[in-house]
């Protein structure tokens, strides 16, 4: 009988750390999460991740699982050869420069693989989720930020210096809004959650619509992305307009990616996508309108299937998708 391999993965997020164990069929054996408490600083976060890794491996050993390495997904640009956070990580103060890989290897004494969280999500969807029928796909996560993972020939395209897939920082307006990366006019400055909330507030500066009045208990300060989608699902015209508009902008930006790579599929995940209310449909329609007809003709526009588990699943798989460097 063929032995089933087991995998251990950790997905570091600015809010929560999600982690778990699964097997080579994609069956999840254990999953849990802990608050990341990033405000405490980078060193406590690294210790927390180490502790989580230790407990995961202990659990795997107790249940006699065959785990050969530990994989970790993290925000930011990750040097996946050294396992170091190399740059671009505004949501976790002090995280740039942290050597996740060598620290964990010293304490846990087994191979450690570290990569960007959106790259990990892309691998998970490729293996077990919406991408499993495809050899090329672009995965986009839309939430607090906009991240991306590019799959070419069933492997990650990491770029020449680890920074491929930063789709949120494609410039769609050369003199546009300031982005937290320091540049202007990035897609993220228009389509990530804070930008969407700001635009909604702006549209209601002369008063709330009846549905928002109810959803926000009369106070615009209660507006967040979940409430916006709630209003849209209740049929609020203004909320639907904001979502439609966001889809238009995002689709315009992403049509460039489709023209560039002509992938088989584009897969959407992340908090905003889970909100429903026609967001993916609006984005997909804009992509089809804007991209070259040949590039969009066979393009599949899909929602991610693995939800919150994608990050740790993809991290766990990293040992099978090593860098070609
Ligand atoms: Zn930017």
């Amino acid at each position: 009988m063929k032995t089933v391999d087991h995998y251990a993965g950790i997905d570091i997020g600015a809010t929560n750390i999600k982690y778990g164990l699964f097997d080579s069929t994609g069956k999840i054996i254990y999953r849990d999460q802990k608050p990341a408490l990033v405000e405490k600083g980078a060193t406590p976060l690294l210790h927390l991740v180490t502790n989580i890794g230790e407990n995961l491996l202990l659990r795997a050993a107790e249940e006699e699982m065959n785990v050969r390495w530990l994989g970790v997904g993290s925000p930011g640009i990750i040097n996946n050869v050294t396992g170091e956070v190399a740059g671009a990580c505004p949501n976790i103060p002090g995280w740039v420069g942290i050597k996740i890989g060598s620290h964990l290897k010293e304490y846990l004494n087994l191979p450690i693989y570290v990569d960007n969280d959106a790259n990990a999500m892309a691998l998970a969807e490729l293996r077990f989720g919406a991408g499993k029928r495809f050899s090329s796909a672009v995965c986009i996560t839309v939430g607090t930020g906009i991240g991306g993972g590019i799959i070419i020939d069933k492997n990650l395209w990491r770029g020449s210096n680890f920074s491929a897939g930063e789709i949120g920082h494609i410039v769609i307006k050369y003199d546009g809004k300031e982005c937290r990366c320091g540049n202007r006019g990035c897609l993220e400055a228009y389509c990530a959650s804070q930008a969407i909330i700001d635009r909604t507030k702006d549209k209601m500066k002369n008063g709330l619509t009846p549905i928002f009045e109810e959803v926000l208990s009369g106070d615009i300060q209660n507006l967040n992305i979940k409430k916006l989608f709630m209003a849209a699902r209740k049929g609020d015209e203004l909320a639907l307009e904001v979502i439609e508009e966001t889809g238009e902008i995002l689709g315009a930006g992403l049509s460039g990616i489709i023209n560039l790579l002509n992938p088989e599929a584009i897969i959407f995940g992340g908090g905003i996508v889970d909100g429903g209310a026609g967001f993916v449909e609006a984005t997909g329609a804009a992509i089809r309108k804007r991209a070259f007809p040949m590039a969009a003709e066979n393009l599949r526009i899909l929602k991610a299937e693995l939800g919150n588990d994608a990050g740790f699943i993809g991290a766990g798989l990293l040992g099978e998708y090593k860098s070609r460097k």
Side-chain angles (χ1 to χ4, degrees), residues 240-260:
L240 288 165
E241 183 187 304
V242 170
I243 290 165
E244 176 81 28
E245 241 174 50
T246 310
E248 276 276 338
I249 303 168
L250 186 61
L254 295 179
S255 65
I257 296 279
I258 302 308
N259 286 345
L260 179 72

Side-chain angles (χ1 to χ4, degrees), residues 18 33 45 57 61-62 83 96 104 108-109 119 128 134 136 146 169 221 239 264 267 273 281 300 313 318:
K18 303 178 184 100
Q33 63 176 51
L45 177 60
L57 296 171
E62 277 169 6
V96 174
L104 290 182
L108 304 176
N109 198 29
N119 279 352
F128 299 122
F134 308 114
S136 63
I146 296 178
H169 302 282
Q221 295 313 319
E264 290 165 88
I267 300 168
V273 174
E281 293 74 7
R300 303 291 308 271
I313 291 176
L318 282 169

